[in-house]
Amino acid sequence: MAWKKAAVADGKILQYNTIKVRLYPNKAQTELFERTFGCCRYIWNQMLSDQKYFYLATGKHFIPTPAKYKNGAPFLREVDNQALIQEHNKLSQAFRVFFKNPESFGYPRFKKKKTDHSSFTACNHEFESGPTIYITEDGIRMTKAGIVKAKFSRRPQAWWKLKRITVEKTRTGKYTCAILYECAVKKPQAVVPTEETTAGLKYSMQHFYVADDGSMADPPRWLKQSQEKLTKLQQKLSRMQPGSKNYQEAVQKYRLLHEHIANQRKDFLHKESRRIANVWDAICVRGDSIQAMSQRVKRGNTLEGGFGAFRTCLQYKLARQGKQFLVVDRYVPTTRTCSVCGLVREELGARETAWTCPKCGTAHNREVNAAKNIKAQGLHQYFRTQAQRESA
């Protein structure tokens, strides 16, 4: 779900919405999906291999198109050609981002059936006879697969234009389809934040986040609640013969439980981010690296809560309403700074949850005080940036 920086008529902009549905393919459609997954892996690996040989021989970068391989591999003609073309586009994009920033994006690697998730993407094309992909009352019409039965959680608006679909197979054997729609919407008016309509959020391992007004979010500990079930399943797996029927059934139960935990987490993140985006005009957070924090903190799982995904959800939901998402530098000493007088302490113990300012005598809660400083710093950065733009 993202904005596209392109202007359309009447001062509108293009917006992209994604609807994810569950697919229920029949036997023939399931076989076609599996062949398509395999062909996509095959064409990706062949193009990447040939690119490497071409670069070693000539010193130049070149990726062959999928059409080159169809004579030598006739099975590629049995699947949707759009899925193969998209693999070429994805590989080209992978090289573009690698050449642009090699430190952040690694060199494209070969795909493996056991480790890489199975998926393919197909674009929709409009012809005089009609579109190649469209939704029906209870399914999705795809090229070569026909109408695949699907369960919709919500329906698109009438003016939305279907751009492409991505079919994916989960580790539990379920098939899902992400449908991307394009629509023209009125550009939202920028909302100027004020101190009363702005909230500062501080990441908390104990409460997920703490706001500057003292409110806290206490989501259910999904993994902790299911830990007993997970432990029992792991004990059973350790006593079973790998590859046996009972072993495969236990692995399936284990994957289903982890999938259930992930769905619970996503549900909370989207609902909580939507609630906050509707209430506040601006949100200030600190740009902490959750990955680096998880390596530094020995006790507790910082990745379990999904605070990084929560910030991403907040950012695009606020942007769609013209509201501000303000990120404070991660190295600003928000925890050690008094939110009343501005005194910065030299040290603050990791177990020190509350402290009193030696200058003004104000008693602080560690996390609430940090959230107040994050809010103040975020507003300061916003108004300073606005002043610089006006003076330029």
Side-chain angles (χ1 to χ4, degrees):
M1 302 180 182
W3 296 97
K4 185 177 181 180
K5 296 181 180 178
V8 294
D10 301 328
K12 294 184 177 181
I13 58 176
L14 294 178
Q15 176 181 306
Y16 290 89
N17 303 309
T18 302
I19 297 178
K20 195 168 186 178
V21 301
R22 172 80 183 276
L23 297 179
Y24 297 91
N26 56 34
K27 185 177 179 180
Q29 293 167 342
T30 300
E31 293 176 354
L32 177 62
F33 286 168
E34 293 297 330
R35 288 199 302 271
T36 307
F37 296 149
C39 289
C40 287
R41 282 192 299 269
Y42 174 84
I43 205 72
W44 172 284
N45 293 338
Q46 289 295 320
M47 291 186 298
L48 181 57
S49 177
D50 288 348
Q51 186 277 336
K52 289 185 174 182
Y53 284 124
F54 187 85
Y55 182 80
L56 292 174
T58 64
K60 296 181 180 180
H61 172 71
F62 173 74
I63 304 177
T65 60
K68 173 187 174 182
Y69 305 96
K70 290 188 176 180
N71 291 332
F75 55 85
L76 294 176
R77 294 190 173 92
E78 300 177 0
V79 302
D80 186 5
N81 185 54
Q82 280 296 314
L84 306 180
I85 294 175
Q86 289 304 312
E87 289 300 309
H88 182 271
N89 295 339
K90 291 177 184 177
L91 184 59
S92 301
Q93 175 65 13
F95 274 108
R96 280 195 295 269
V97 297
F98 169 73
F99 292 142
K100 186 176 181 180
N101 192 353
E103 296 180 357
S104 300
F105 300 94
Y107 190 86
R109 60 180 181 82
F110 292 100
K111 291 185 177 181
K112 299 180 181 179
K113 183 176 182 180
K114 292 184 178 181
T115 57
D116 292 277
H117 72 281
S118 300
S119 67
F120 70 86
T121 302
C123 291
N124 181 31
H125 294 280
E126 299 281 350
F127 296 103
E128 294 182 359
S129 57
T132 56
I133 303 173
Y134 56 86
I135 65 172
T136 62
E137 184 178 357
D138 59 349
I140 306 174
R141 192 274 177 186
M142 304 180 189
T143 305
K144 293 198 174 183
I147 298 178
V148 183
K149 188 178 179 181
K151 184 177 181 181
F152 294 84
S153 58
R154 64 189 181 109
R155 290 280 178 168
Q157 301 294 328
W159 60 88
W160 290 7
K161 184 179 179 181
L162 196 155
K163 298 297 293 182
R164 66 171 181 259
I165 61 171
T166 299
V167 178
E168 182 179 0
K169 182 181 180 181
T170 66
R171 296 294 298 274
T172 57
K174 300 176 183 177
Y175 293 90
T176 61
C177 180
I179 313 173
L180 180 68
Y181 288 94
E182 178 188 84
C183 62
V185 297
K186 186 177 180 181
K187 186 176 181 179
Q189 296 294 328
V191 179
V192 179
T194 63
E195 189 173 352
E196 293 76 17
T197 60
T198 302
L201 303 183
K202 168 69 171 64
Y203 170 72
S204 172
M205 290 187 61
Q206 184 178 1
H207 302 287
F208 188 66
Y209 75 76
V210 176
D212 62 287
D213 59 357
S215 59
M216 305 174 184
D218 291 311
R221 300 296 177 180
W222 307 281
L223 184 60
K224 187 176 181 180
Q225 291 176 352
S226 303
Q227 192 63 51
E228 185 178 350
K229 293 182 180 178
L230 289 171
T231 302
K232 290 182 179 179
L233 284 174
Q234 288 173 332
Q235 291 174 349
K236 288 183 179 179
L237 285 171
S238 64
R239 294 191 295 266
M240 291 181 180
Q241 180 67 31
S244 64
K245 185 176 180 181
N246 290 337
Y247 181 85
Q248 296 297 333
E249 291 178 355
V251 169
Q252 178 69 0
K253 291 180 180 179
Y254 185 79
R255 290 174 177 174
L256 285 170
L257 185 55
H258 268 292
E259 185 180 71
H260 177 66
I261 295 171
N263 290 336
Q264 286 180 310
R265 184 185 297 111
K266 291 178 184 178
D267 181 71
F268 168 78
L269 296 180
H270 280 287
K271 288 181 179 178
E272 185 66 16
S273 59
R274 171 53 61 196
R275 184 191 68 81
I276 294 175
N278 290 342
V279 172
W280 301 99
D281 291 343
I283 296 296
C284 304
V285 298
R286 199 168 71 169
D288 294 315
S289 173
I290 306 299
Q291 184 70 30
M293 193 181 300
S294 66
Q295 297 173 357
R296 186 171 63 252
V297 178
K298 301 300 181 183
R299 296 182 179 181
N301 187 0
T302 57
L303 300 178
E304 178 189 345
F307 191 76
F310 175 72
R311 290 186 302 193
T312 302
C313 293
L314 262 180
Q315 185 175 6
Y316 83 79
K317 287 172 182 174
L318 287 167
R320 290 193 170 188
Q321 302 181 55
K323 298 179 179 181
Q324 306 299 324
F325 182 76
L326 309 174
V327 181
V328 177
D329 188 82
R330 58 186 291 192
Y331 297 108
V332 175
T334 55
T335 304
R336 297 184 288 110
T337 303
C338 176
S339 58
V340 177
C341 65
L343 174 73
V344 181
R345 291 185 53 178
E346 293 184 1
E347 293 182 0
L348 190 64
R351 298 178 179 272
E352 202 170 345
T353 59
W355 60 281
T356 302
C357 178
K359 182 178 180 180
C360 63
T362 305
H364 293 296
N365 176 284
R366 179 192 183 105
E367 295 181 330
V368 175
N369 175 69
K372 291 180 180 179
N373 289 325
I374 290 172
K375 173 182 174 179
Q377 183 67 19
L379 288 174
H380 174 71
Q381 289 180 185
Y382 172 79
F383 289 114
R384 182 180 59 186
T385 304
Q386 293 298 110
Q388 292 175 351
R389 290 178 180 177
E390 291 176 0
S391 60

